[in-house]
Amino acid sequence: MSVRVRFAPSPTGPLHIGGVRTALFNFLFAKKNNGKFILRIEDTDRSRYVPGAEDHIKNSLKWLGIEWDEGPDVGGPFGPYRQSERVNLYREYAELLVKKGHAYYAFDTPEELEAFRERLRKAGVPNPQYNSITRQYMRNSLTLPADEVEKLINSGTPYVIRIKVPRNREIKFYDVIRGWVSFNSNELDDKVLFKSDGFPTYHLANVVDDHLMQITHVIRGEEWIPSTPIHVLLYEFFGWEKPQFAHLPLILRPDGKGKLSKRAAIEAGFPVYAIKWTDPQTNESNEGFREIGFIPEGLINVLALLGWHPPEDREIYTLEELINYFELDRVGKSGAQFNFEKAKWINQQHILRLSPEKLYEYAEPFLSEYFSEGVDRETLMRALLVMRERGTTIREILELTKSVFYPPELNSVFELLPEWNEQVRTALSEFAEVISKEETDSHDISNKIKEIAKRWELKKGKFMLTIRVALTGQKAGPPLGELITLIGKEEVVRRINRVLNAKEEGKQIQTK
């Protein structure tokens, strides 16, 4: 059978980058093996359903270029691909398990269940379970007479269907990443498979759908390892061949101390979503990597290196290269720390590879925040190409590019000037005069700066910094020759004279 994998998120909130990484690894594995990548929305937990979450999931993947072969809005031979549209199907399979003796009806009320747990806690049981021992003391079809069970069902009494986990059995499965994993059934409880609200739980729905959709490999996060023995039992009880399992390592906080959460990411100064998320209830917004200026190629590369070890000694990969190199046996077991500084560097390397047209395309959504109307497109494109050497994100590059089109605040100029005296003032004035009169290229400008600095006994580096600060209000940037060419001769002279005049006025005020 050809490879078929799925990414099956629940629309209970925005898509965390950990989920994006899971989708990416499924996508890479499918494409590497000429298989199919399926998107399935597991929306059976109606109590936790969040409006807009499904769109956030799909838009996050689309922005990154992770396209699905089958799924919502695309279709496919095994649809529908939203579990809420397949509910009647799950009841049929839950009832089949009851008939086979592998599941049972449970009529315990929430109050009875809480009282049961409280009794066990008082008896010294730290983690009370509804299992092969305790089920015999509860209200279910294993302890009640058959006629009473039938009466309860016919009268509309709420009930759930639970899996009947066998006593004292070894349940093991092979994990492509971790090798053999083993559980004793005594560690498991009788999970609810079908809820009283008419919806299945994750355990039943995902196993039924994976079988019916012919999924060959289940690639998901390691947090699902404790649930896998239940899924293995379900495959056995149904008489179905189980897929291969591969559980991905966690993405960890930058300090390595625990899973990367939204709070930990905010504290460290970076997003935890691919794209912006606005909570429909609180209206609170959280920017994504797209909004802070990452490009899809960069974030894809960053996420791929979180847990996967490439065969080559390099860190920059295109999506096509990732597909070519990706193997599950190169995914590690240990958690991967998220390093934001490294992520920005990787993003910058991909920005440097962009064509001028593509760079402008990625910058375009932000332009209105940085530039007023009337900015020359050709000059802007040239400026972006020069400034991208200095910025790690699109936003950083645009912030630097502003200096080409707008003079800096004088306060920032005065704060950053390395020194100011009569020699500096005279040298700066002479430089403005030279620029205004002569046709100069980048090389000539460098020579003129050297000559003027020498004539007025100034250090060349400090004089260059003085010019840069006067022009941009910044201490760093592209080579001065390129910067001056971009700004234009007339504007350069105007900005220098603006600083000279302001300094002169300040001197007069102090004298008075």
Side-chain angles (χ1 to χ4, degrees):
M1 186 181 294
S2 61
V3 164
R4 290 178 59 82
V5 297
R6 59 25 172 213
F7 177 55
S10 298
T12 55
L15 183 60
H16 186 282
I17 56 169
V20 176
R21 196 270 309 261
T22 298
L24 173 63
F25 281 18
N26 274 276
F27 175 82
L28 295 176
F29 185 74
K31 297 309 169 188
K32 172 65 182 288
N33 293 282
N34 298 312
K36 298 292 184 183
F37 172 63
I38 294 96
L39 175 65
R40 186 174 72 223
I41 303 298
E42 300 198 341
D43 58 347
T44 57
D45 190 346
R46 304 311 291 177
S47 64
R48 297 177 60 217
Y49 176 80
V50 175
E54 181 181 327
D55 285 340
H56 185 267
I57 291 166
K58 293 188 292 188
N59 291 336
S60 297
L61 299 182
K62 286 178 181 177
W63 175 65
L64 289 166
I66 302 175
E67 299 284 350
W68 47 97
D69 301 298
E70 300 172 23
D73 310 326
V74 172
F78 301 99
Y81 293 90
R82 289 186 189 88
Q83 289 185 337
S84 59
E85 299 170 11
R86 302 166 64 88
V87 175
N88 293 336
L89 184 72
Y90 306 124
R91 178 177 288 278
E92 173 188 334
Y93 283 98
E95 295 288 355
L96 176 61
L97 287 174
V98 174
K99 289 178 183 178
K100 287 186 166 191
H102 297 305
Y104 58 93
Y105 304 110
F107 302 95
D108 316 282
T109 66
E111 294 76 18
E112 289 171 335
L113 288 171
E114 182 53 38
F116 149 74
R117 296 188 189 100
E118 186 58 30
R119 287 195 305 272
L120 290 179
R121 280 193 286 265
K122 286 182 178 179
V125 179
N127 184 28
Q129 290 187 324
Y130 200 125
N131 57 25
S132 57
I133 294 177
T134 59
R135 70 167 82 112
Q136 59 188 311
Y137 304 107
M138 306 302 289
R139 294 176 63 238
N140 54 59
S141 58
L142 301 177
T143 61
L144 298 173
D147 58 343
E148 187 175 345
V149 170
E150 186 176 357
K151 183 179 178 181
L152 287 169
I153 292 175
N154 292 336
S155 67
T157 301
Y159 66 88
V160 299
I161 297 177
R162 290 179 178 271
I163 185 173
K164 186 181 178 184
V165 177
R167 181 72 183 158
N168 202 30
R169 256 196 60 186
E170 182 187 24
I171 304 168
K172 63 180 183 178
F173 61 91
Y174 185 78
D175 188 297
V176 178
I177 295 170
R178 299 161 192 278
W180 285 103
V181 181
S182 179
F183 288 82
N184 188 289
S185 64
N186 295 346
E187 302 169 6
L188 311 174
D189 56 349
D190 291 357
K191 298 289 186 186
V192 173
L193 301 178
F194 204 83
K195 297 176 289 184
S196 58
D197 63 2
F199 282 86
T201 62
Y202 169 83
H203 304 291
L204 177 67
N206 106 87
V207 167
V208 169
D209 286 345
D210 283 348
H211 173 71
L212 296 180
M213 294 181 181
Q214 299 181 8
I215 300 302
T216 60
H217 297 74
V218 171
I219 305 170
R220 58 190 178 189
E222 70 172 51
E223 62 268 25
W224 292 110
I225 292 176
S227 298
T228 306
I230 294 292
H231 304 164
V232 170
L233 284 176
L234 287 173
Y235 280 105
E236 177 188 319
F237 293 163
F238 282 123
W240 298 338
E241 181 180 352
K242 62 180 180 292
Q244 293 189 55
F245 295 102
H247 290 93
L248 307 176
L250 293 175
I251 297 179
L252 304 177
R253 296 159 45 117
D255 60 9
K257 297 177 180 178
K259 184 178 179 180
L260 177 64
S261 63
K262 173 185 168 183
R263 176 180 293 181
I266 291 174
E267 288 174 355
F270 59 88
V272 78
Y273 310 127
I275 64 175
K276 183 178 180 180
W277 165 253
T278 301
D279 190 298
Q281 295 179 327
T282 65
N283 210 34
E284 177 191 351
S285 289
N286 292 103
E287 287 188 326
F289 279 89
R290 179 178 66 183
E291 285 69 35
I292 68 167
F294 271 64
I295 63 174
E297 297 91 331
L299 187 56
I300 283 283
N301 194 159
V302 170
L303 294 178
L305 297 180
L306 291 174
W308 173 72
H309 306 286
E312 295 192 353
D313 186 22
R314 60 187 173 103
E315 295 181 298
I316 306 305
Y317 294 88
T318 64
L319 182 58
E320 292 72 23
E321 288 173 326
L322 290 172
I323 291 171
N324 183 53
Y325 286 120
F326 189 79
E327 297 286 354
L328 280 175
D329 61 9
R330 299 196 70 86
V331 177
K333 303 174 189 177
S334 302
Q337 291 177 236
F338 192 93
N339 184 327
F340 186 48
E341 292 305 313
K342 182 177 179 180
K344 289 194 294 184
W345 176 80
I346 290 173
N347 189 62
Q348 182 187 42
Q349 301 313 301
H350 283 277
I351 289 175
L352 292 172
R353 294 181 171 201
L354 296 175
S355 67
E357 294 74 21
K358 196 67 177 178
L359 176 60
Y360 187 84
E361 179 187 323
Y362 284 140
E364 199 164 16
F366 303 99
L367 294 184
S368 61
E369 297 180 45
Y370 291 88
F371 306 101
S372 58
E373 293 182 8
V375 170
D376 180 66
R377 187 177 187 275
E378 290 303 316
T379 304
L380 178 55
M381 286 184 70
R382 285 192 292 114
L384 290 172
L385 288 172
V386 170
M387 297 299 183
R388 69 176 173 179
E389 299 282 347
R390 298 293 190 276
T392 61
T393 67
I394 296 297
R395 279 195 177 278
E396 285 183 7
I397 293 166
L398 288 170
E399 188 62 42
L400 291 167
T401 304
K402 275 175 61 178
S403 64
V404 172
F405 298 92
Y406 306 114
E409 293 289 334
L410 286 172
N411 286 341
S412 66
V413 171
F414 295 156
E415 287 174 7
L416 294 176
L417 282 174
E419 62 181 345
W420 190 265
N421 53 41
E422 189 61 26
Q423 290 169 286
V424 173
R425 188 199 67 76
T426 306
L428 197 57
S429 178
E430 183 178 330
F431 179 72
E433 187 177 351
V434 169
I435 292 293
S436 67
K437 290 181 178 179
E438 299 182 17
E439 291 295 329
T440 53
D441 57 22
S442 295
H443 181 69
D444 290 334
I445 289 171
S446 180
N447 287 335
K448 292 296 181 184
I449 291 172
K450 185 177 180 180
E451 290 173 11
I452 294 170
K454 184 177 182 181
R455 182 157 47 251
W456 294 101
E457 297 181 348
L458 300 173
K459 291 182 179 179
K460 182 185 175 185
K462 271 195 175 182
F463 186 48
M464 291 177 70
L465 180 58
T466 299
I467 296 170
R468 183 183 300 281
V469 170
L471 295 178
T472 67
Q474 298 167 355
K475 283 189 170 184
L480 263 182
E482 291 183 40
L483 180 64
I484 289 169
T485 302
L486 280 171
I487 293 174
K489 182 171 68 172
E490 291 182 5
E491 178 64 13
V492 166
V493 173
R494 193 183 76 80
R495 292 187 191 184
I496 290 176
N497 286 333
R498 174 172 171 260
V499 171
L500 290 170
N501 293 336
K503 273 291 186 181
E504 185 64 28
E505 291 172 7
K507 179 180 178 183
Q508 291 172 2
I509 291 170
Q510 290 173 7
T511 302
K512 291 178 183 178

